Amino acid sequence: MLPYLRKYSRSRVLYGFLAAVFIAWGVGAVGLSRMHMDVVAKVHGEPISRRQLDRTTGLIQRRYDNIAQGMSPDLLKSLDIPGKALDELIDSALLEHEAARLGIRPTEEDVLLAITQIPELQQNGQFDRARLAQFLEQERDRGEFEH
């Protein structure tokens, strides 16, 4: 290989080709390592990303903040919220996998019923659309849907 490179060392095409190969190789390696680093767990081959974990951790953190305002930092640490978030994501992935395996799919009515029964979306025991709108606005990931 070295004799070939020496023979054609003045060729700009060769240098351009080599540069392109090294750039593609480097960019590919960086992209693969970033994808690999972003996965915090896998359930039946399906990845759970760092982004999902961070989002679920935030949701659980807000739930605890709403329930017990003024919790001490020591108590918050003892709750292991990131661990609870990962457990929640794993449980959800396992349920989704098992439901798919059994051919169980919720109907639109099932989904609506489940949403209207979420305690955080109720006011005086009744579903409150304003709370749903507020929740969706707070939880929306603008980077994912908007430019």
Side-chain angles (χ1 to χ4, degrees):
M1 174 102 178
L2 275 173
Y4 180 78
L5 289 174
R6 285 187 186 127
K7 182 178 178 182
Y8 295 101
S9 66
R10 294 179 188 227
S11 170
R12 291 184 183 190
V13 174
L14 177 65
Y15 284 119
F17 174 74
L18 288 174
V21 167
F22 282 115
I23 289 171
W25 181 38
V27 169
V30 169
L32 287 175
S33 67
R34 186 176 297 155
M35 276 179 34
H36 179 70
M37 296 292 286
D38 192 41
V39 174
V40 295
K42 284 189 177 188
V43 177
H44 291 288
E46 292 297 316
I48 296 174
S49 70
R50 166 72 49 200
R51 185 178 194 172
Q52 290 173 295
L53 179 60
D54 292 343
R55 187 173 197 168
T56 304
T57 299
L59 284 170
I60 293 172
Q61 179 69 50
R62 280 189 289 284
R63 276 189 226 147
Y64 280 115
D65 288 346
N66 289 336
I67 292 170
Q69 295 176 349
M71 270 191 204
S72 73
D74 292 336
L75 180 58
L76 283 173
K77 277 186 180 181
S78 72
L79 292 174
D80 185 28
I81 293 173
K84 287 185 184 336
L86 184 58
D87 288 346
E88 193 172 296
L89 288 167
I90 291 170
D91 288 347
S92 178
L94 288 169
L95 285 171
E96 286 177 22
H97 176 78
E98 189 63 13
R101 187 183 73 77
L102 295 172
I104 300 171
R105 296 195 59 191
T107 65
E108 188 173 325
E109 292 81 25
D110 293 334
V111 174
L112 288 173
L113 181 63
I115 291 171
T116 59
Q117 292 180 345
I118 296 173
E120 291 87 359
L121 302 179
Q122 293 184 358
Q123 179 83 28
N124 298 325
Q126 296 291 322
F127 174 71
D128 185 359
R129 284 187 182 273
R131 284 189 176 207
L132 174 62
Q134 180 184 16
F135 174 80
L136 292 174
E137 181 63 30
Q138 288 174 347
E139 299 308 318
R140 182 174 57 172
D141 185 353
R142 286 174 176 73
E144 190 174 338
F145 300 110
E146 298 174 4
H147 297 284

